[in-house]
């Protein structure tokens, strides 16, 4: 395995971020999404500090792009696309309830009065 140099300040900031995330999570199905270059460092750090057991998986952005591409455009998209988008929308609503609240800037511009169903929340 190739060894990479990671600055102590990066390790410390990653540790602090990890600690904040882990302390605020109530789920036992934590999945971390990161850049390809960060994955090995994150897995190594999680292992060193004993938190790897709390993480279901570490997935890269490129993994997600590939999976979404297959689900939305691939040979089985007719079976997967609608389910994927519906589930994703439901999970976003649960995780971020504010997605159903129109920001003040849009209210100030009276976007809530739009009549076209395409643009309604």
């Amino acid at each position: 395995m190739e060894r990479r140099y990671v600055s102590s300040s990066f390790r410390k900031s990653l540790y602090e971020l990890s600690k904040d995330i882990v302390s605020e999570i109530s789920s036992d199905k934590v999945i971390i999404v990161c850049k390809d270059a960060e994955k090995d460092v994150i897995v190594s750090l999680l292992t060193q500090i004993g938190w790897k057991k709390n993480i279901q998986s570490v997935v890269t952005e490129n993994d997600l792009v590939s999976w979404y591409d297959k689900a939305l455009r691939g040979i089985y998209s007719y079976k997967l696309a609608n389910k994927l988008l519906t589930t994703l929308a439901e999970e976003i609503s649960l995780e971020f309830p504010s997605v159903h609240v129109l920001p003040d800037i849009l209210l100030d511009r009276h976007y809530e009065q739009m009549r076209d169903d395409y643009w309604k929340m």
Side-chain angles (χ1 to χ4, degrees):
M1 185 166 129
E2 177 185 333
R3 298 199 58 92
R4 296 183 182 161
Y5 173 75
V6 178
S7 70
S8 60
S9 62
F10 177 74
R11 271 188 187 273
K12 187 175 182 177
S13 64
L14 188 57
Y15 173 78
E16 292 300 320
L17 179 62
S18 300
K19 190 168 71 170
D20 290 345
I21 292 170
V22 170
S23 68
E24 293 185 21
I25 293 176
S26 59
S27 176
D28 60 348
K29 296 180 177 179
V30 177
I31 298 172
I32 296 175
V33 179
C34 63
K35 304 270 186 205
D36 285 335
E38 300 167 340
K39 183 177 181 176
D40 292 340
V41 173
I42 290 171
V43 170
S44 174
L45 181 62
L46 290 169
T47 302
Q48 289 174 29
I49 61 179
W51 291 348
K52 187 158 185 325
K53 63 185 176 296
N54 300 339
I55 307 299
Q56 184 175 345
S57 184
V58 178
V59 177
T60 67
E61 288 178 354
N62 284 337
D63 291 334
L64 288 179
V65 169
S66 174
W67 298 339
Y68 283 120
D69 192 48
K70 286 179 184 177
L72 298 174
R73 295 186 190 99
I75 191 170
Y76 297 107
S77 62
Y78 68 96
K79 289 184 177 182
L80 299 174
N82 192 42
K83 176 70 174 165
L84 171 67
L85 295 174
T86 301
T87 302
L88 188 58
E90 289 169 357
E91 292 296 324
I92 288 172
S93 292
L94 289 172
E95 186 74 21
F96 306 102
S98 64
V99 297
H100 297 293
V101 177
L102 211 53
D104 289 340
I105 191 169
L106 298 181
L107 291 172
D108 292 345
R109 295 176 179 179
H110 305 291
Y111 281 32
E112 79 281 4
Q113 297 175 10
M114 295 185 90
R115 301 213 187 279
D116 187 340
D117 285 341
Y118 180 80
W119 297 105
K120 290 193 177 190
M121 291 181 71

